[in-house]
Amino acid sequence: MSSILLKSAKILDTESSHHLQTKDILVENGEITKIEDSIESADKIINRENLHVSNGFFDSSVSFGEPGFEERETLANGVTTARRSGFTSFLLNPNLNPVTDTNSAVKFLQQQIDTQLINIKPLGALTKSFDGKNLAELYDMKMAGAVGFYDFKKPIADANLFKIALQYVKSFDGLLFSFPQDKSIAGKAQVNEDEFTTYIGLKGIPNLAEELQIARDLYILEYTGGKLHIPNVSTKASVQLIKKAKAKGLNLTCSVALPHLFFTSNKLETFDSKYKILPPLRTKEDSKALTKAVKDRIIDMVTCDHEPMDEEHKELEFENASYGSIGLESAFSVMNTLFGIEKASELLSKPKTNFGLKTSKIEVNQRADLSLFDPNSEYIFQKQHLISKSKNSMFIGESLKGKVFGSIYNDSFYEN
């Protein structure tokens, strides 16, 4: 029998009768068997200063590189990165090579995932090879385990195709993701269109490009019914569109990426490619509106939008560099810095139920699915804190609050 004992852990779980209490927690063979004021012995004892524990962290947008882009990230190292960063479950984007767009591709990926000590659910592509023209094997991928369908950060330009896809997936309770950008408006611009980016001479993407796509998608969703998730919402007006759609009772969720809450386009002053992401960093006004929408629960979830990119594609002049930033290692600290520990732990654990992932309370006889951390530790986030194979983090050099000690999932423990 393997056992893990957490000593003097403050519990953060609003569904638990022990919420905000400091207790000893015993995990045996992947199950919580005791929660008491004092427990004496176990095979492994974790006794950390200011130890806090919550439900295992979850993220709705994580990219790795295997298969096809192993130079960016492998599955094994990606899982280690996630687990040591407190994550016990997440959705894996289909932007691999080959693209995850068939039943066999999902099955292959799931077989590789099942060898890891983590709960990963794959997303399938919405169209074949992300071509935006031909629907992929949606039903077959759903049967193989895909929890949703998403052409990763590639908008669906064809409105009729999007309508047909929403109608089709209703028959098997499928979930569509739609990236909010109208390419005909965005053109080849790579940053936000605002006073600052105009001043430094960069051609910008107007907010209209996002808002027009969202408005179109919401009109179609109202017409067809079905389920829709809008990832990476990034403008003030987008929030208002989503708020009105939810008031109508549409089956709709959305997310915002942490960089859009923490940074603004002013960071582009040095033309540093680590700040090149999609959607682009927006204005302070947008960032404030997004943060308020998270607090008001108009935005359902916050994602670290973890997107590894190798130096060959990232360490280039700004206009030639690839989009993307990694975020798993810094996610808890950034969220804790922005929202405080109770809201951060809620945002990091509760959204998994939106995608049909099981959650367990911090109670006796429940499966162990736990994240361990100190919410008060302050530090400067540095390259040395990165576990990912790729190092393209825009949070390097930022003052953050809160450090993760590790995670327990079933009977496995990953420790920092």
Side-chain angles (χ1 to χ4, degrees):
M1 176 180 290
S2 62
S3 57
I4 304 170
L5 174 59
L6 308 183
K7 294 291 292 182
S8 300
K10 186 170 183 178
I11 296 169
L12 292 164
D13 178 8
T14 55
E15 302 297 318
S16 169
S17 60
H18 304 288
H19 180 52
L20 298 180
Q21 297 178 10
T22 299
K23 297 284 186 178
D24 286 3
I25 303 172
L26 183 65
V27 175
E28 296 180 287
N29 291 337
E31 186 175 285
I32 298 172
T33 56
K34 292 181 181 179
I35 300 178
E36 298 176 1
D37 290 334
S38 181
I39 302 171
E40 294 305 319
S41 62
D43 297 328
K44 171 74 176 178
I45 297 176
I46 301 168
N47 194 351
R48 296 287 194 100
E49 185 177 352
N50 201 34
L51 175 61
H52 286 57
V53 60
S54 75
N55 295 105
F57 298 164
F58 163 82
D59 198 284
S60 62
S61 180
V62 172
S63 298
F64 288 158
E66 185 180 1
F69 301 112
E70 287 83 358
E71 70 278 6
R72 299 176 187 174
E73 187 57 281
T74 62
L75 179 61
N77 190 67
V79 167
T80 298
T81 301
R83 290 294 308 274
R84 287 178 59 185
S85 302
F87 290 87
T88 59
S89 58
F90 56 82
L91 304 188
L92 185 62
N93 290 314
N95 52 326
L96 300 167
N97 188 17
V99 169
T100 311
D101 61 359
T102 64
N103 174 285
S104 58
V106 173
K107 282 184 175 178
F108 173 78
L109 197 56
Q110 194 66 65
Q111 288 170 357
Q112 307 309 306
I113 289 169
D114 288 345
T115 66
Q116 308 294 321
L117 302 172
I118 197 168
N119 185 23
I120 303 175
K121 295 299 181 184
L123 292 170
L126 179 56
T127 65
K128 294 178 180 178
S129 300
F130 294 166
D131 68 4
K133 299 176 182 178
N134 303 284
L135 290 182
E137 299 176 4
L138 305 185
Y139 176 77
D140 289 343
M141 286 192 289
K142 170 82 170 182
M143 294 301 101
V147 297
F149 310 105
Y150 182 28
D151 283 6
F152 179 72
K153 295 196 176 180
K154 295 184 182 299
I156 303 300
D158 188 328
N160 189 55
L161 180 74
F162 184 67
K163 174 182 74 72
I164 291 169
L166 275 170
Q167 291 172 325
Y168 175 54
V169 299
K170 280 176 64 179
S171 63
F172 53 89
D173 197 32
L175 171 65
L176 294 194
F177 286 56
S178 180
F179 184 68
Q181 186 180 89
D182 185 316
K183 285 291 290 182
S184 66
I185 299 292
K188 295 182 179 180
Q190 300 178 340
V191 299
N192 185 52
E193 181 185 84
D194 58 50
E195 186 176 340
F196 179 76
T197 56
T198 301
Y199 171 74
I200 62 175
L202 294 173
K203 186 178 181 181
I205 302 172
N207 288 12
L208 177 66
E210 174 170 309
E211 295 148 12
L212 194 62
Q213 187 83 1
I214 289 177
R216 185 207 73 170
D217 288 352
L218 295 178
Y219 270 118
I220 295 174
L221 178 66
E222 186 173 6
Y223 176 80
T224 61
K227 293 194 299 184
L228 177 65
H229 178 73
I230 302 176
N232 299 89
V233 172
S234 69
T235 79
K236 181 179 179 179
S238 295
V239 170
Q240 293 306 310
L241 289 168
I242 289 166
K243 182 179 180 179
K244 290 177 182 177
K246 286 187 170 186
K248 293 179 179 179
L250 300 187
N251 197 341
L252 171 69
T253 56
C254 65
S255 69
V256 61
L258 274 174
H260 292 103
L261 303 176
F262 199 87
F263 298 112
T264 67
S265 61
N266 286 31
K267 276 290 184 180
L268 300 175
E269 185 175 17
T270 60
F271 300 94
D272 191 332
S273 63
K274 74 179 181 181
Y275 298 111
K276 185 177 179 179
I277 59 171
L278 197 66
L281 295 175
R282 304 290 190 182
T283 66
K284 188 174 183 178
E285 183 182 12
D286 288 314
S287 184
K288 283 185 175 180
L290 293 165
T291 301
K292 185 177 186 300
V294 172
K295 292 176 180 178
D296 293 344
R297 292 182 167 81
I298 298 166
I299 293 177
D300 303 275
M301 61 200 77
V302 179
T303 172
C304 70
D305 201 28
H306 185 79
E307 190 176 357
M309 195 60 60
D310 56 282
E311 289 186 3
E312 183 180 348
H313 291 89
K314 194 66 177 174
E315 298 296 325
L316 299 169
E317 298 83 359
F318 189 89
E319 62 270 22
N320 296 322
S322 295
Y323 294 103
S325 175
I326 58 174
L328 285 170
E329 296 98 321
S330 55
F332 167 73
S333 300
V334 175
M335 225 173 280
N336 183 50
T337 301
L338 289 169
F339 296 107
I341 186 54
E342 289 196 56
K343 183 65 175 178
S345 61
E346 174 193 323
L347 289 168
L348 282 161
S349 61
K350 300 300 182 185
K352 65 182 77 172
T353 57
N354 288 289
F355 304 100
L357 277 73
K358 292 181 180 179
T359 187
S360 54
K361 294 184 289 187
I362 303 179
E363 295 279 9
V364 172
N365 298 326
Q366 291 283 310
R367 177 173 56 88
D369 184 359
L370 309 170
S371 296
L372 287 55
F373 47 86
D374 169 11
N376 297 332
S377 178
E378 297 183 7
Y379 69 112
I380 304 295
F381 190 75
Q382 303 285 8
K383 196 170 183 178
Q384 69 198 45
H385 296 119
L386 299 176
I387 310 162
S388 299
K389 191 173 181 180
S390 292
K391 307 302 177 186
N392 57 310
S393 171
M394 65 170 61
F395 290 99
I396 292 173
E398 297 297 329
S399 297
L400 301 177
K401 185 177 181 181
K403 283 190 175 181
V404 175
F405 295 140
S407 62
I408 298 172
Y409 182 69
N410 291 340
D411 58 355
S412 68
F413 175 46
Y414 278 69
E415 184 175 14
N416 282 324

